[in-house]
Amino acid sequence: MGWIGEQIDSIKSIQYRQLVTQAISLGMIVTSALIIWKALMCVTGSESPVVVVLSGSMEPGFKRGDILFLHMSKDPIRAGEIVVFNVDGREIPIVHRVIKVHERKDTGEVNVLTKGDNNFGDDRLLYAQGQLWLKRHHIMGRAVGFLPYVGWVTIIMTEKPIIKYILIGALGLLVITSKD
């Protein structure tokens, strides 16, 4: 009959109570993940406490697929720090190094200029049209640690969506057919 036939027979034999238990378990897993994410947001002060490096612009320090852990504090941003920022009109955050900081003594406003370590010039071409500096509200956080290569899972699932759907389907089938 084969593996697929066995799985279909297993799904057919599931009783209503077992199905409800499996659905509640899956809901608890998803809820737990969301609670952990929100707790990380509170602890780190960053709207996105974990990001994946998507390009080679920060090589050799960070490679494509590395996961960065972010923290955002009230401390002033300094040249040399690696920050993750959003640019107006773009959805995907950018990971680059701060190369210049201008602080206005009268207002306390901080303007930041960034550059990828592996890029030739600064990031002014990446900023919104007419924007020459990043302001504090653009900065999502400072890199405080990283895990190499772990983010490749996210990159592969983004670039090849069929893999994501196959993985979700396989995990769903596993949850439904697993026995207590």
Side-chain angles (χ1 to χ4, degrees):
M1 183 189 286
W3 182 81
I4 294 175
E6 290 173 11
Q7 297 305 317
I8 291 172
D9 289 343
S10 176
I11 292 171
K12 288 179 182 177
S13 69
I14 292 176
Q15 296 177 359
Y16 178 72
R17 176 177 253 166
Q18 184 182 7
L19 185 62
V20 170
T21 302
Q22 296 289 353
I24 290 171
S25 295
L26 182 61
M28 289 175 60
I29 290 169
V30 170
T31 302
S32 297
L34 290 173
I35 290 170
I36 290 169
W37 185 259
K38 287 293 187 181
L40 280 173
M41 287 174 64
C42 291
V43 169
T44 64
S46 175
E47 64 188 73
S48 183
V50 178
V51 295
V52 176
V53 178
L54 298 175
S55 74
S57 67
M58 285 302 292
E59 289 184 4
F62 298 116
K63 294 180 177 38
R64 188 169 192 246
D66 290 352
I67 288 185
L68 298 182
F69 300 100
L70 305 182
H71 186 266
M72 191 62 187
S73 65
K74 300 287 184 200
D75 296 336
I77 296 168
R78 298 287 173 225
E81 289 184 317
I82 295 170
V83 296
V84 177
F85 59 91
N86 273 328
V87 175
D88 298 331
R90 289 188 173 200
E91 287 184 29
I92 299 173
I94 300 170
V95 179
H96 281 175
R97 187 178 306 276
V98 175
I99 58 171
K100 288 184 184 174
V101 177
H102 287 277
E103 293 181 62
R104 295 185 59 166
K105 300 294 182 201
D106 54 342
T107 63
E109 185 177 299
V110 176
N111 292 327
V112 175
L113 180 63
T114 56
K115 176 187 174 298
D117 290 353
N118 201 25
N119 292 352
F120 181 71
D122 63 41
D123 289 342
R124 287 187 172 141
L125 293 175
L126 296 176
Y127 301 162
Q129 189 172 6
Q131 182 180 359
L132 299 177
W133 300 90
L134 294 175
K135 303 212 180 297
R136 181 116 180 148
H137 71 273
H138 293 111
I139 309 291
M140 295 173 59
R142 297 175 172 98
V144 293
F146 78 103
L147 279 174
Y149 309 114
V150 179
W152 270 104
V153 173
T154 301
I155 292 172
I156 290 169
M157 287 195 300
T158 302
E159 291 180 356
K160 308 272 190 228
I162 188 71
I163 293 173
K164 176 173 41 177
Y165 300 125
I166 291 170
L167 183 62
I168 290 171
L171 288 174
L173 187 62
L174 181 67
V175 167
I176 290 173
T177 60
S178 67
K179 308 236 185 315
D180 289 333

